[in-house]
């Protein structure tokens, strides 16, 4: 084993990380003045019924039919209800506004029966008409989540508590999409706020009209959002006031968290978080997220040697995954085990996982008859850690005799090259829009999705095509898992991608905060109704 190059890389990695963190945090001259003007959420120790969350920036529109931004969802998600909700920390759904549902055998009709008793914040009951209004409105606005719901052909009201969605084609992930923020049911009275036929977009950009446990009481632009309970919500939450306080300066966030002026701080750089975890009053919560970082191996349009799976396997064996995550993510990441990340249903904990084995990698290259292999790695500055990652991979591949040329280009250029397949290897990240392995298996491996559509390895295997397409046409989850597991066995063995790691979510929280549950599908969103202090 050759240790010296890796040691040098790790030193370089730390230096690059430090440089990156010093330049990536937004700071403005006016921010300290703004903070001193923010009187309400600035007490030295927040009251027991008040939660203060430090966020880094202001938000754009809050309209569920428009926004696709997780940062805005942290405000809107607790102010709306959905037909189904994510179940605790699980990516599976449970009843929400709907107490039960049925799907037709052909998967084209989904009928939901609503719970009774839920009301919007103005006291208006939530009915099937409101559900129909919400989705008709989203489809009419044609922004943000429109593409996800374009599969909806019609929404039919059967009774005040029953509603049926008619789809244009079977779409098994449909149920999961209803748990996303854009599934939030909107009070039809927003029509009274309509301006120039905007379906209330201007009003909902700055206000909320949902039936969730909270409502937006005040938005002081550039300073804070203030949420208070929906007075008509059946189970009143323990936290009576929630502030999302805008603090752009990470040093100020850290100071205020340590002094008890905020309860949760979202914007502290990773290199400061380990030290913060040692503070008596602060707990650093670490959870695996569903954001994965991987390498596309161009199996059909890149270097001729990459058509041989033994060469692709050799590249996977060449990587010391633990050293990589230490160098690139300071250890706050978990090696992937196959394409479906841990935490999402369909993940196979028994699936084969590549490990660092230089001799095996060399043997595979020799068996394939490959010598003096030279490959190009495409990447951009889209992710701050990719420079370090590229250098680290270069060092690992050098150990097995593979020369890796680094090709760093502008982000837009890299997208064009990815789409055309103009690379040998390429760095990439991926996170799911909804909690379904379809997001990984069908996008990554279906040969109809070459390029930016998802199959960025330009990989084709007829059996895999058959398995993932069949899995996308049935609604029985157990059967779908079996099919996806069969496909996973093939694509892990054939290695069209190097499955590197899934990043961890890191959140420093006051130890006074109780009941917070991390859900990887709700990154940056809090289960406020179940939290207390």
């Amino acid at each position: 084993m050759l240790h010296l190059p890796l040691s040098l890389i790790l030193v370089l990695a730390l230096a690059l990380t430090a440089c990156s963190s010093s330049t990536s945090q937004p700071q403005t001259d006016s921010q300290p003045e703004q903070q001193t003007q923010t009187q309400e959420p600035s007490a030295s120790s927040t009251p027991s019924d008040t939660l203060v969350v430090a966020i880094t920036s202001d938000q754009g529109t809050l309209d569920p039919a428009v926004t696709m931004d997780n940062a805005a969802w942290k405000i809107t998600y607790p102010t709306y209800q959905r037909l189904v909700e994510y179940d605790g920390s699980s990516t599976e759904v449970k009843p929400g506004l709907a107490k039960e549902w049925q799907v037709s055998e052909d998967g084209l009709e989904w009928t939901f029966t609503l719970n009774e008793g839920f009301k919007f914040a103005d006291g208006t009951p939530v009915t099937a008409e409101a559900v129909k209004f919400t989705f008709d409105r989203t489809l009419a606005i044609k922004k943000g989540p429109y593409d996800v719901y374009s599969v909806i052909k019609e929404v039919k009201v059967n009774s005040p508590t029953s509603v049926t969605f008619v789809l244009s084609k079977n779409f098994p992930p449909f149920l999961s999409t209803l748990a996303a923020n854009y599934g939030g049911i909107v009070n039809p009275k927003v029509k009274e706020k309509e301006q120039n036929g905007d379906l209330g977009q201007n009003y909902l950009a700055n206000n909320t009209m949902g039936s969730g446990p909270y409502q937006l009481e005040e938005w002081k632009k550039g300073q804070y959002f203030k949420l208070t309970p929906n007075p008509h919500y059946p189970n009143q939450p323990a936290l009576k006031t929630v502030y999302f306080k805008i603090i752009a300066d990470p040093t100020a966030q850290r100071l205020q968290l340590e002094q008890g002026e905020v309860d949760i701080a979202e914007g502290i750089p990773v290199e400061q978080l380990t030290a913060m975890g040692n503070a008596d009053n602060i707990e650093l919560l670490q959870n695996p997220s569903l954001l994965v970082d991987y390498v596309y191996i161009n199996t059909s349009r890149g270097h001729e040697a990459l058509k041989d799976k033994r060469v692709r396997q050799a590249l996977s064996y060449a990587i010391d995954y633990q050293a990589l995550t230490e160098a690139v993510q300071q250890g706050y990441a978990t090696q992937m085990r196959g394409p479906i990340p841990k935490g999402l249903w369909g993940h196979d904990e028994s699936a084969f996982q590549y490990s660092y084995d230089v001799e095996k990698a060399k043997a595979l290259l020799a068996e394939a008859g490959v010598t003096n292999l030279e490959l190009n790695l495409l990447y951009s500055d889209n992710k701050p850690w990719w420079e370090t990652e590229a250098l680290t991979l270069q060092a690992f591949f050098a150990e097995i005799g593979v020369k890796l040329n680094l090709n760093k280009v502008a982000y837009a250029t890299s997208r064009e090259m990815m789409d055309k397949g103009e690379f040998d290897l390429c760095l990439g990240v991926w996170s799911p829009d909804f909690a379904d392995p379809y997001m990984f298996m069908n996008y990554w491996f279906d040969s109809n999705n070459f390029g930016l559509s998802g199959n960025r390895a330009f990989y084709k295997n007829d059996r895999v095509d058959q398995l993932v397409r069949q899995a996308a046409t049935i609604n029985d989850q157990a059967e779908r898992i079996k099919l996806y597991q069969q496909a996973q066995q093939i694509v892990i063995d054939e290695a069209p991608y190097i499955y590197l790691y899934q990043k961890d979510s890191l959140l420093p929280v006051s130890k006074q905060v109780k009941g917070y549950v991390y859900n990887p599908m709700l990154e940056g969103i809090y289960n406020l109704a179940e939290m207390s202090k």
Side-chain angles (χ1 to χ4, degrees):
M1 292 189 295
L2 186 60
H3 294 290
L4 184 57
L6 179 57
S7 301
L8 290 173
I9 287 300
L10 293 173
V11 171
L12 179 58
L14 293 174
L16 287 169
T17 302
C19 291
S20 173
S21 64
S22 66
T23 58
S24 61
Q25 300 303 321
Q27 296 189 39
T28 64
D29 292 339
S30 61
Q31 191 59 36
E33 182 180 352
Q34 289 182 352
Q35 291 162 19
T36 59
Q37 293 173 349
T38 306
Q39 297 301 320
E40 290 187 65
S42 297
S44 58
S45 181
T46 59
S48 61
D49 64 352
T50 299
L51 183 78
V52 181
V53 181
I55 60 178
T56 57
S57 62
D58 217 339
Q59 310 302 332
T61 177
L62 301 179
D63 190 337
V66 178
T67 181
M68 295 292 283
D69 185 351
N70 270 49
W73 293 5
K74 73 173 75 269
I75 308 299
T76 55
Y77 204 81
T79 62
Y80 291 89
Q81 287 179 289
R82 290 143 293 275
L83 291 173
V84 294
E85 306 281 355
Y86 287 115
D87 189 1
S89 61
S90 167
T91 56
E92 297 191 15
V93 300
K94 65 177 182 179
L97 277 172
K99 61 182 180 183
E100 58 187 20
W101 55 88
Q102 297 86 39
V103 58
S104 62
E105 280 193 18
D106 60 7
L108 297 181
E109 293 195 5
W110 291 77
T111 299
F112 295 84
T113 303
L114 305 186
N115 282 300
E116 297 184 58
F118 286 112
K119 295 181 178 179
F120 294 105
D122 67 351
T124 302
V126 181
T127 65
E129 286 288 356
V131 175
K132 174 178 171 55
F133 169 81
T134 295
F135 289 91
D136 285 350
R137 178 175 180 270
T138 297
L139 293 173
I141 289 175
K142 294 187 177 180
K143 295 180 181 177
Y146 170 78
D147 285 343
V148 176
Y149 290 137
S150 61
V151 71
I152 298 174
K153 184 178 179 182
E154 181 184 8
V155 184
K156 298 191 296 188
V157 173
N158 310 312
S159 75
T161 58
S162 177
V163 61
T164 296
F165 292 79
V166 182
L167 308 186
S168 58
K169 63 179 181 181
N170 187 21
F171 185 49
F174 180 66
L175 187 65
S176 179
T177 68
L178 299 177
N181 181 77
Y182 35 71
I185 305 303
V186 176
N187 190 338
K189 287 189 175 180
V190 73
K191 289 185 292 186
E192 298 171 4
K193 311 291 185 180
E194 189 173 62
Q195 298 177 5
N196 302 317
D198 73 344
L199 298 174
Q201 288 183 70
N202 186 54
Y203 183 79
L204 286 186
N206 301 287
N207 298 276
T208 59
M209 290 188 71
S211 58
Y214 287 90
Q215 60 181 328
L216 176 62
E217 180 173 310
E218 182 182 14
W219 179 0
K220 199 159 188 176
K221 298 290 177 89
Q223 296 190 41
Y224 60 83
F225 297 83
K226 179 182 179 182
L227 304 186
T228 55
N230 170 359
H232 303 284
Y233 193 74
N235 301 311
Q236 287 293 295
L239 295 171
K240 302 305 179 188
T241 307
V242 179
Y243 285 103
F244 290 94
K245 183 181 177 183
I246 301 164
I247 306 173
D249 183 356
T251 302
Q253 283 206 16
R254 177 176 178 174
L255 183 63
Q256 293 191 35
L257 179 61
E258 290 174 340
Q259 293 178 342
E261 296 176 10
V262 303
D263 300 297
I264 299 172
E266 294 187 350
I268 300 174
V270 64
E271 61 269 23
Q272 295 184 29
L273 289 176
T274 302
M276 287 202 66
N278 296 326
D280 291 339
N281 62 332
I282 298 169
E283 183 178 11
L284 181 61
L285 304 181
Q286 179 181 0
N287 292 284
S289 75
L290 295 179
L291 175 68
V292 303
D293 189 291
Y294 60 133
V295 180
Y296 322 142
I297 301 178
N298 196 332
T299 63
S300 60
R301 300 184 184 183
H303 193 290
E304 188 68 17
L306 297 177
K307 293 180 179 178
D308 190 325
K309 77 172 184 179
R310 293 169 296 186
V311 176
R312 303 195 297 265
Q313 291 170 338
L315 298 178
S316 292
Y317 279 118
I319 297 170
D320 183 337
Y321 294 89
Q322 183 174 351
L324 177 78
T325 57
E326 287 290 342
V328 178
Q329 299 294 343
Q330 300 193 19
Y332 294 117
T334 303
Q335 182 185 350
M336 294 178 70
R337 185 181 288 277
I340 302 176
K342 187 174 185 177
L344 182 63
W345 69 267
H347 170 75
D348 186 357
E349 192 60 28
S350 66
F352 177 76
Q353 186 179 49
Y354 287 92
S355 58
Y356 182 48
D357 191 333
V358 171
E359 295 309 313
K360 189 162 189 173
K362 289 180 177 177
L364 283 164
L365 289 177
E367 188 180 321
V370 173
T371 57
N372 300 317
L373 181 59
E374 189 169 335
L375 300 172
N376 296 316
L377 175 68
L378 176 67
Y379 66 107
S380 72
D381 58 0
N382 184 46
K383 299 300 176 190
W385 63 84
W386 274 351
E387 185 72 33
T388 307
E389 192 162 287
L391 289 166
T392 308
L393 291 175
Q394 188 180 54
F396 286 136
F397 291 162
E399 289 189 82
I400 64 169
V402 174
K403 182 179 180 182
L404 189 64
N405 301 315
L406 306 187
N407 183 21
K408 185 176 182 179
V409 300
Y411 180 56
T413 303
S414 74
R415 301 279 290 179
E416 292 176 8
M417 295 176 71
M418 272 183 237
D419 198 35
K420 296 176 181 175
E422 295 175 345
F423 62 90
D424 295 327
L425 307 178
C426 181
L427 300 182
V429 294
W430 189 272
S431 61
D433 289 343
F434 43 83
D436 194 289
Y438 180 100
M439 286 296 312
F440 293 86
M441 297 303 295
N442 292 76
Y443 281 104
W444 285 18
F445 301 109
D446 190 319
S447 60
N448 285 333
N449 294 329
F450 278 0
L452 288 180
S453 296
N455 188 338
R456 297 170 186 178
F458 296 89
Y459 168 75
K460 180 173 174 55
N461 178 302
D462 291 339
R463 177 60 177 157
V464 171
D465 278 342
Q466 179 188 13
L467 289 167
V468 299
R469 290 171 187 171
Q470 185 179 354
T473 59
I474 56 178
N475 291 308
D476 186 312
Q477 187 176 104
E479 288 300 315
R480 294 184 67 203
I481 288 175
K482 289 179 184 176
L483 293 167
Y484 280 138
Q485 286 186 342
Q486 291 177 49
Q488 283 184 84
Q489 289 177 4
I490 298 172
V491 300
I492 291 172
D493 176 64
E494 297 201 331
Y497 301 98
I498 303 176
Y499 309 105
L500 294 180
Y501 57 84
Q502 54 188 109
K503 284 182 89 256
D504 286 356
S505 166
L506 297 170
L507 190 67
V509 177
S510 165
K511 289 183 177 177
Q512 292 186 338
V513 176
K514 310 296 181 187
Y516 168 67
V517 176
Y518 172 78
N519 188 302
M521 290 306 302
L522 303 174
E523 190 72 41
I525 298 172
Y526 301 92
N527 55 318
L528 298 175
E530 290 81 41
M531 293 170 65
S532 62
K533 288 171 62 180

